Structures are given as C-alpha cells and as structure tokens.
Amino acid sequence: MNTISRNDGTQRVFLSEGILNVVEILQENYPEIYESIQKEGFILKYGQCNLFKELLFENNVVGFCSYDFSREFMTLALNNIYVLPQYRGNSFLLNELASTMAEQNKPSIMEPTRLIVELLIEYGFASKITDNIVASAIEFVVPADHVLSNMEYGLEELSTHFYDLDICASIHILDVERSHVAYSAPLNYDIIHYDCLDYRNRISDEYFEEISKTFRDRDVEIMNVILDLEENLPIKTYTLDEIIGPEGEFSFYIQSMIDDAHVTQQKAIEIKNQIREEYEAGMLLNESLLVRLAYLFDESHKERITLHDDVCPYCGMPIDSHDRFCHFCGINLDYDIDEMESSLLTSIDDTESDFKEDIRFIAYKFLKLIEERIDMDYAIFTIENTYNINWSEMKEFLDINGYFSQDHITPEGFGFLKSHPLHFWNKYHMEIIDYTDFENYFYIHEDLTPKEICLNYLNKFEKEEYILDIINEIKKDCSNF
C-alpha cells in the first residue's frame, strides 16, 4: 500500500474552532487510510472533531488521531485513533498521549475500547485493582446518550477513571451505599473482538453490589493507586507567568483569546489579576492553572454532570476522592481559607483611603464574584480588603434591594448586574474612556435607557475612529431589538 511521505518529518494538522468532518478529511487527503478502514470494517467512534493529526512512522503517514476541544482549545479529548494494520505495535498511542501531556495538558479519552485500556495498563498510565476493574490516571468520558445505569440516571455525560475489562465498559460508582453504577454502552469493536455482550447478558444486581463493595472496602487503596499513577504521568509543569503572562504582558493563551474576540482586554486584565491573587493565596496549583483560566474565560459555566455524590464545594461539579483540584473550575480542593486570607493580606495595602467607592460599584464586583462561583468567604474577604466597606454594610445594601438571598443572587440581583454601568462599559469595550466619569454620567441620566446613555456620553467626544466603532456597535445592538 502506498503511503504519503513527509520528508521533513512534520505532521500535518487540521485545526478548527468549529467542526471538522473526519470522514471528509480522510477521503480527500488520505484515501489509502480510508480504504483500509473500510476493508477492515473498522467503525470510527466519532465523525467530527476539532483537531485532526497525522501519525507518522519513518516519515510516512500511517494513521491519524483526532480530538474534541472544549473551553476555547484548553482541554482536549482523544476521540479517534487509527493505525494501518501493518504498522501497529509501534507505541503510537503511548507517543501521542506522552507528547500531548508534555506539550499541553493531560487529555481525556472518549469511550475507550478494551484494547485502549489494556495499552494504558502496558504504558503505566492505568493499573488493575482487581482481575477485571482498572483504575486509570487518564480520564474516560462517555457521552450522555451512551450511558447506561442500573438505576435512574439523567441524560448526563459520564466522566470516570475506572473501567471493567469483563464487560468492556467505563464505569463509575454514583452511590456506593445504594450500589448505583453508571457504565458505558457496548462499542462495536469490543462486541466483535471481545464478545463483551456475553458478559453483559450475565450482569445482575449481584454484579453491581460486588463492584460497589470493592470501592467501599478499598476506597483508600484505590485512591492511592490513582494518585501514584498521576504522579508518574509526563505532564507539563506550568508556571504562573506561562499561563497569565508576566507583569504588563499577556500570555500566549490570553492574547490568543483577545485576538479571537473571545474576551475583551479589560476582562482579560481582570481574569489575570484574579488568577494571580488566587494562586498566591494557595487556591490554585500549578497543574490547575490552565483549567482555571479556561473556566474563567467560559462565562456560561454550563454544568455537564450533576448526579455524582461527591461534588466540588466551589462550582458544584463532580469530583473523585483522589482529586487534588477540581477539573472543572481548577480550585485546589485542599486549600485552607485561613492560610489564603493570611497570604492575601500581605499583598493588600492596609492604609485606609479617604475615597469611598460607590456602594453600587462594590455590590457589582461582589455579585460578579458570586456569579463566577467564587467561594462566599473569599468573595466577602475580597471586597472588605479591596474597598473601604465591611460585610455588614454590604449585606444591608443587598438586603434592602433584594439582590442577594441565602447565598444566591436573586432575579433582582441579576437584573442589577445587567443594568450596571460597568456591564455596558465592558460589553462595548469602552476602555479608551475614563470609567469613573462614565459612571457618574450614567447615574445622572438614569431616566434614559442604558444604550441611550452610552451613545449620548460617547457623542461628547471628538469623532475618533475607535469611538465611532463603539457607537456603531451600540447602534447595531439597538437595531436588533
């Protein structure tokens, strides 16, 4: 079979923030690989991806792998890998995972086959904890519509570190006391090569009870196995400056988000400052910095999984007992709030200013912290030590206006956030003008709509090109309603 040569040894990569069609790429660029897939009866698990990479052997293209991206290219999941039969056995999966971890971050694997799990064991990335149950340092992800359960389970994605070789399934114990287990649907490859349906047909209540008993009786041992596996992963060690950039500069990650219009420069500055404070306070670990950055860039904070027993106390997403940090929001799960406050105090000027911020501005800042799922104690500590105000004053203002109740933002509070001058200053990228002056103008003209206030204020200035761009953006925004 003829293969494509890459004389310089450089992999060709297809990358898109949108969707790439795997089959189309293969048909148009790698007909010999597509023909082999068809002849072998190999079924691709996923027809779409964000990243498609060639796999090379002695400068020849002998296969490919593809990834799903999430959160603006910062976390990735391997969803397909295929190597021409005559080239298998050359550690392609090992090399791909190792290079991804060394150059970027630890990936997850979408619906691994039993063969993939056995290779992870061979590579030292996973280990058997019983004859059939495997613990993996690499996370396995199963789409919601491929998840089965022995009890009621909502339509939610499954994320786990465990696999059962007998039934060829990723598994997760949702409730160890009730023996509630979620597991992945069978894959065609495993049905053909491992006859996994025969094992699945023998699944009974006793199976789920036995699995749960293993996790209940050996929880500490299992936790230590995964911790040891993770310690030995060749993961890139990030520094704070790599993730957010040194003083006065943005990192590659942040600058690319600004360039691609995912975030305003002002918002990027706020995120950079927040991450630096959290890191210095012990709330973040080096290995969680990139996760935290991705979380703060994603304003929706859409929860994907909610039915697990153990959840992060800061963002509410599921965690495992061995986790050192939340893999959704990036917060260090072992951080000590007293130690954090002590650390933050060293960086805060304790000389009281004569200037007192408008309490509406401080309320906005506080509610934004809560909206971003920041811990309540940390949010209070931040506003008390950043502005000349104490929590009792702030709480009284929030209570009188009905913005905050039972540690949650009320509908009135969300309305306040959406109507605040800082919201519009950020929304329309008005960094070129002085915010304080704009805020004063905004409150003096509260009889007008917020967009009218913005337009009137900007019209005071000379018709600079940048100002005109903002004005046109607001007018276009107005015309959409």
Side-chain angles (χ1 to χ4, degrees):
M1 176 182 290
N2 294 326
T3 57
I4 299 171
S5 296
R6 299 282 183 239
N7 294 329
D8 60 358
T10 302
Q11 288 176 299
R12 186 180 179 188
V13 172
F14 297 79
L15 176 66
S16 174
E17 194 171 345
I19 300 299
L20 296 172
N21 188 299
V22 175
V23 172
E24 287 181 2
I25 293 175
L26 291 171
Q27 289 175 330
E28 294 173 12
N29 301 276
Y30 309 98
E32 70 288 342
I33 293 178
Y34 184 70
E35 181 184 340
S36 176
I37 289 173
Q38 297 294 102
K39 186 181 296 185
E40 195 176 1
F42 185 88
I43 299 175
L44 295 173
K45 287 191 293 181
Y46 296 91
Q48 297 178 329
C49 67
N50 301 112
L51 171 65
F52 180 104
K53 295 172 64 177
E54 296 176 344
L55 295 178
L56 303 183
F57 182 75
E58 295 180 348
N59 292 348
N60 292 313
V61 180
V62 299
F64 79 96
C65 62
S66 61
Y67 290 88
D68 277 337
F69 279 123
S70 64
R71 299 191 212 150
E72 293 81 23
F73 292 6
M74 291 189 186
T75 57
L76 61 165
L78 181 71
N79 65 4
N80 288 301
I81 183 166
Y82 180 82
V83 178
L84 294 172
Q86 60 269 41
Y87 293 98
R88 291 171 190 168
N90 288 292
S91 302
F92 287 101
L93 178 63
L94 170 63
N95 294 334
E96 178 60 29
L97 292 175
S99 65
T100 299
M101 285 187 273
E103 296 169 9
Q104 299 179 50
N105 207 349
K106 182 174 71 171
S108 54
I109 298 177
M110 301 293 294
E111 293 187 275
T113 61
R114 174 170 168 171
L115 174 61
I116 293 292
V117 175
E118 289 176 336
L119 287 173
L120 292 179
I121 295 172
E122 181 182 327
Y123 301 153
F125 296 161
S127 177
K128 286 186 178 182
I129 53 177
T130 70
D131 288 341
N132 59 304
I133 302 300
V134 175
S136 170
I138 306 284
E139 193 173 30
F140 305 141
V141 179
V142 183
D145 57 349
H146 286 195
V147 179
L148 306 174
S149 175
N150 63 325
M151 297 182 188
E152 185 176 349
Y153 184 81
L155 194 64
E156 294 186 347
E157 182 181 278
L158 179 68
S159 178
T160 183
H161 288 268
F162 303 103
Y163 189 91
D164 187 334
L165 295 170
D166 283 350
I167 66 171
C168 300
S170 302
I171 63 170
H172 194 89
I173 313 302
L174 296 170
D175 188 331
V176 70
E177 299 303 329
R178 296 167 55 222
S179 299
H180 185 189
V181 180
Y183 54 103
S184 57
L187 298 171
N188 288 310
Y189 184 90
D190 291 326
I191 292 172
I192 295 169
H193 294 277
Y194 294 98
D195 194 23
C196 67
L197 291 184
D198 180 50
Y199 285 98
R200 286 176 181 256
N201 290 335
R202 287 184 267 147
I203 288 180
S204 63
D205 289 342
E206 286 72 25
Y207 166 82
F208 297 112
E209 290 169 5
E210 181 181 342
I211 294 290
S212 298
K213 185 177 187 302
T214 298
F215 279 83
R216 182 172 56 248
D217 295 347
R218 300 173 58 187
D219 58 338
V220 174
E221 176 191 343
I222 293 170
M223 177 184 71
N224 288 331
V225 167
I226 295 184
L227 287 173
D228 288 343
L229 290 168
E230 289 185 331
E231 283 292 323
N232 293 316
L233 289 178
I235 297 177
K236 175 179 174 63
T237 301
Y238 288 99
T239 66
L240 181 64
D241 282 352
E242 278 184 290
I243 299 301
I244 65 173
E247 194 69 35
E249 298 178 26
F250 287 125
S251 67
F252 162 79
Y253 302 101
I254 295 181
Q255 189 60 55
S256 65
M257 295 297 290
I258 296 172
D259 294 343
D260 293 339
H262 286 295
V263 68
T264 66
Q265 186 163 342
Q266 179 61 33
K267 182 65 175 177
I269 292 171
E270 292 176 7
I271 289 174
K272 177 178 177 178
N273 291 339
Q274 180 177 333
I275 288 179
R276 185 175 294 282
E277 282 190 359
E278 291 173 345
Y279 180 80
E280 291 173 352
M283 292 181 70
L284 305 176
L285 304 172
N286 284 69
E287 56 264 45
S288 73
L289 283 168
L290 197 57
V291 175
R292 185 61 175 169
L293 185 67
Y295 177 82
L296 294 178
F297 274 144
D298 180 9
E299 293 187 349
S300 66
H301 299 323
K302 182 179 178 182
E303 295 186 359
R304 297 174 300 164
I305 313 162
T306 59
L307 293 177
H308 292 220
D309 267 0
D310 296 330
V311 296
C312 171
Y314 310 104
C315 72
M317 288 298 285
I319 57 174
D320 287 320
S321 56
H322 70 276
D323 285 336
R324 299 181 62 220
F325 63 91
C326 174
H327 292 272
F328 189 75
C329 73
I331 292 294
N332 175 10
L333 295 172
D334 294 323
Y335 94 91
D336 186 320
I337 191 162
D338 293 330
E339 184 178 322
M340 175 200 75
E341 291 182 0
S342 174
S343 176
L344 282 179
L345 278 171
T346 63
S347 63
I348 294 175
D349 186 357
D350 58 6
T351 58
E352 189 167 312
S353 167
D354 293 332
F355 173 72
K356 200 171 186 68
E357 288 278 8
D358 187 312
I359 195 169
R360 291 169 293 189
F361 178 86
I362 305 171
Y364 178 89
K365 288 292 190 178
F366 171 76
L367 292 176
K368 286 299 287 183
L369 289 172
I370 298 299
E371 185 183 34
E372 292 170 357
R373 305 289 184 87
I374 298 300
D375 179 71
M376 178 75 170
D377 289 336
Y378 175 59
I380 293 172
F381 179 78
T382 299
I383 65 108
E384 284 191 327
N385 287 278
T386 305
Y387 309 105
N388 293 324
I389 195 171
N390 58 53
W391 172 238
S392 60
E393 291 177 88
M394 182 83 272
K395 187 175 185 303
E396 181 181 3
F397 175 82
L398 296 171
D399 288 343
I400 289 173
N401 290 281
Y403 295 156
F404 195 67
S405 177
Q406 298 179 337
D407 295 349
H408 289 85
I409 304 173
T410 64
E412 291 79 7
F414 281 112
F416 167 75
L417 286 174
K418 294 298 183 185
S419 62
H420 194 279
L422 188 56
H423 168 75
F424 294 97
W425 191 78
N426 285 327
K427 179 179 180 180
Y428 295 120
H429 309 170
M430 298 164 66
E431 298 87 359
I432 196 172
I433 63 174
D434 179 70
Y435 173 73
T436 303
D437 187 57
F438 170 70
E439 182 186 67
N440 292 335
Y441 185 89
F442 194 98
Y443 285 130
I444 292 172
H445 298 85
E446 286 185 295
D447 54 317
L448 302 176
T449 68
K451 292 186 179 70
E452 288 174 332
I453 297 171
C454 292
L455 286 172
N456 291 349
Y457 181 83
L458 293 172
N459 282 330
K460 297 193 312 175
F461 298 92
E462 294 182 5
K463 303 297 185 181
E464 297 179 14
E465 184 178 350
Y466 185 79
I467 296 292
L468 277 174
D469 288 342
I470 300 174
I471 290 172
N472 289 332
E473 181 184 355
I474 298 172
K475 287 180 177 178
K476 182 180 178 181
D477 198 9
C478 291
S479 68
N480 290 331
F481 291 92

